Amino acid sequence: MTLLGIKLKQTQQLNQRLQQSLRVLQMSGIELEREVENWLSDNPLLERKDTDEFSDAEFSHYTAPTRQIGGDEGEDMLSNIAGEQDFNQYLHAQVCEHPLSDQESACVHILIDSLDEQGYLSDSIEDILDHTPLEWMLDEAMLKQALTALKKFDPAGVAAADLNESLILQIERLGECAAKTAALHIVRNALDSIDGNRSQTLARIKKRLPQTDSSTLEAALDLIASLNPSPAAGFASSTPTPYIRPDVWVEESKDGWTVSFNEDSLPPLQMNSEYCELMPSEGLSPEWKEKISEAKQRIDSLELRKATVVLLAEYIVKHQADFFTFGEIGLVPLMMKDAAAELGVAESTVSRAANQKYLSCPRGVFALRYFFTQAVQMEEGKEAVSQHAVKAALSQLVGSEDKRKPYSDEALANLLAFRGMEVSRRTVAKYRESLEIPAAHKRKTAE
């Protein structure tokens, strides 16, 4: 009986340490700072190491492509954002309002976290499954069922794959009328006919819907104009990080690209030397023994976070070396499950290590998740290409085109094929829309 009790106690302590380490690994830099403050107030055996004050000069290895805000300005911004409602939080709160099973609810939560900044689910179910830890035991049918449920949430249009579907979802919630029917037809079949010239738009649509009177078409266009192209518009950002402090630096050396940890990104903790010196070598109370164990465990969890993030960053640099030399077009498909297999850790550990962690290099500051990119569906026998690389090539082609004769989606697909990126016209259109690049007729300028 005593032996069994010891085993249970040891297992429980191990689980607590593991849970603590995984929790610390999952946190963002801001969350970790807050957590450490709680540790310091709760355990007198912990203290901060004496380190030089952080300075912008030491931090600015490279200039990030986005504006960075620090100091009082950053604190003021954080306090302002804290009072606003976050889009993802708004959706998560609705889960309990719908008749969903525990399994369906869990899947809906996963899909909510997969939405992009506009509130679209631009990734396919297959892509989401590939980036979901295997131990969660999800399948395509479960996620599709959850997606159907999520599309019924507010605001209307959420979780659509693209603008067309989002507008359709919004229109379908409206009451029945002739304008609704016409609006649905326009969005499904003639959305590319709409531009800034109302009379020309009406004439083009009239050719496609000759049986519909002009007044109904006018009402349909007014209805479409009243819809929200971005379901997430009006909500606070889900990641209010006005000042991003990278976790690792990536620099070029004579031996190639190297990774170094940014010590300023990790709260410097140590055992309180004064308290430790006053502790008797024997006869400690159980409460103080627990405090000592807890303090060591928390310091260890910080070191494990550091080691895991560096290990993952080194994996990224090894497999995405062309990105650091050539930019986004050099990205190759990279999966978290492959990283987990090579590093010898669980896929969920890789996911936690990549969560809200940042890498700074000569090209700017990037989230570690940015480097895990899906492969575009290619013909059998063709080398896989990442979605980011195709999008980068697409942006380059559109940027260098003759605006008097812009490339059609078919022409762009052919030009990408010359670069070894054989994708369909439909895929080109999807990526073009995600990059907010207008259709060819809207990019055309007068000769």
Side-chain angles (χ1 to χ4, degrees):
M1 187 71 174
T2 305
L3 184 61
L4 178 61
I6 292 173
K7 287 183 177 179
L8 286 173
K9 186 175 181 180
Q10 287 176 337
T11 302
Q12 184 180 31
Q13 287 177 342
L14 179 61
N15 287 339
Q16 287 175 346
R17 288 187 178 184
L18 180 60
Q19 290 170 8
Q20 171 77 24
S21 297
L22 291 176
R23 202 166 149 269
V24 168
L25 182 60
Q26 172 81 16
M27 292 178 181
S28 68
I30 292 177
E31 291 170 338
L32 185 60
E33 283 285 355
R34 292 172 182 162
E35 182 75 3
V36 168
E37 285 301 324
N38 291 335
W39 293 354
L40 291 169
S41 62
D42 181 59
N43 193 328
L45 292 176
L46 284 174
E47 67 177 4
R48 287 185 181 272
K49 293 180 184 177
D50 290 330
T51 58
D52 296 332
E53 287 296 317
F54 170 78
S55 69
D56 288 338
E58 292 172 345
F59 171 72
S60 301
H61 279 49
Y62 315 110
T63 302
T66 54
R67 183 185 177 210
Q68 295 181 348
I69 304 169
D72 295 337
E73 185 181 2
E75 291 297 325
D76 292 342
M77 177 173 285
L78 276 176
S79 63
N80 290 334
I81 293 176
E84 300 175 12
Q85 191 164 30
D86 170 79
F87 181 65
N88 280 29
Q89 291 173 350
Y90 177 66
L91 294 173
H92 283 304
Q94 291 182 56
V95 173
C96 61
E97 300 173 6
H98 293 259
L100 302 171
S101 66
D102 291 344
Q103 184 185 74
E104 289 170 334
S105 296
C107 289
V108 170
H109 283 301
I110 291 170
L111 293 178
I112 291 172
D113 289 333
S114 300
L115 299 176
D116 63 22
E117 293 179 355
Q118 292 184 292
Y120 295 154
L121 190 69
S122 52
D123 291 334
S124 68
I125 294 296
E126 293 81 3
D127 291 345
I128 294 171
L129 277 173
D130 283 339
H131 278 87
T132 301
L134 293 175
E135 54 262 38
W136 290 3
M137 300 179 66
L138 301 180
D139 60 42
E140 189 173 335
M142 292 162 58
L143 287 182
K144 283 184 176 179
Q145 186 175 351
L147 179 57
T148 299
L150 179 55
K151 288 178 180 178
K152 297 176 182 178
F153 282 31
D154 288 325
V158 68
D162 51 32
L163 174 63
N164 283 57
E165 186 185 6
S166 181
L167 297 179
I168 289 169
L169 290 173
Q170 293 177 59
I171 294 170
E172 287 177 340
R173 292 202 193 181
L174 302 176
E176 292 299 327
C177 63
K180 174 183 176 180
T181 303
L184 279 172
H185 187 95
I186 292 170
V187 171
R188 284 173 176 153
N189 305 292
L191 191 61
D192 59 348
S193 298
I194 300 176
D195 59 24
N197 190 314
R198 186 63 174 259
S199 60
Q200 291 183 10
T201 296
L202 192 60
R204 283 194 293 268
I205 293 176
K206 184 66 176 175
K207 290 180 181 179
R208 299 197 183 191
L209 294 172
Q211 305 302 319
T212 308
D213 61 80
S214 297
S215 61
T216 300
L217 292 179
E218 287 272 12
L221 290 174
D222 288 338
L223 188 157
I224 293 171
S226 69
L227 301 176
N228 185 3
S230 176
F235 289 84
S237 168
S238 60
T239 53
T241 52
Y243 193 33
I244 293 176
R245 186 178 294 180
D247 296 86
V248 293
W249 308 115
V250 175
E251 300 172 286
E252 190 172 16
S253 68
K254 63 180 181 179
D255 298 319
W257 295 98
T258 60
V259 174
S260 59
F261 189 74
N262 177 18
E263 298 294 343
D264 289 317
S265 69
L266 198 67
L269 281 190
Q270 64 182 12
M271 299 290 287
N272 188 306
S273 56
E274 292 184 7
Y275 272 98
C276 289
E277 288 174 3
L278 294 173
M279 291 281 181
S281 56
E282 296 180 0
L284 279 176
S285 66
E287 290 78 15
W288 278 111
K289 286 181 179 178
E290 184 177 346
K291 288 291 183 184
I292 292 173
S293 175
E294 179 186 75
K296 291 179 178 179
Q297 174 188 326
R298 287 175 171 174
I299 292 173
D300 288 344
S301 67
L302 293 178
E303 288 301 315
L304 182 60
R305 172 192 168 104
K306 172 182 174 178
T308 307
V309 171
V310 169
L311 194 66
L312 181 59
E314 289 174 341
Y315 174 87
I316 289 171
V317 169
K318 173 184 174 183
H319 290 273
Q320 298 287 19
D322 283 349
F323 165 82
F324 300 100
T325 303
F326 303 110
E328 190 173 30
I329 202 166
L331 285 171
V332 299
L334 197 63
M335 306 290 290
M336 286 191 179
K337 62 182 180 182
D338 295 331
E342 184 170 323
L343 299 177
V345 298
E347 190 177 341
S348 56
T349 299
V350 173
S351 179
R352 288 184 172 95
N355 181 57
Q356 298 186 71
K357 312 298 188 304
Y358 298 88
L359 171 158
S360 181
C361 67
R363 294 188 175 276
V365 178
F366 299 86
L368 295 190
R369 283 189 180 275
Y370 168 81
F371 297 96
F372 290 94
T373 172
Q374 292 287 326
V376 178
Q377 187 67 40
M378 305 288 283
E379 293 183 9
E380 188 175 351
K382 298 289 184 180
E383 186 178 352
V385 181
S386 82
Q387 292 180 2
H388 286 323
V390 174
K391 288 181 179 181
L394 184 60
S395 296
Q396 288 179 359
L397 289 171
V398 172
S400 62
E401 71 184 357
D402 182 349
K403 299 305 178 186
R404 295 169 298 178
K405 298 178 181 180
Y407 298 127
S408 66
D409 289 344
E410 189 68 38
L412 288 169
N414 291 334
L415 290 169
L416 287 171
F418 281 125
R419 295 190 176 196
M421 303 176 179
E422 298 191 19
V423 296
S424 67
R425 182 203 60 79
R426 185 175 179 180
T427 299
V428 168
K430 176 184 175 181
Y431 288 176
R432 175 177 55 72
E433 289 171 2
S434 72
L435 293 168
E436 298 185 355
I437 297 174
H441 75 272
K442 293 183 179 180
R443 302 198 307 272
K444 186 175 182 179
T445 57
E447 297 191 20

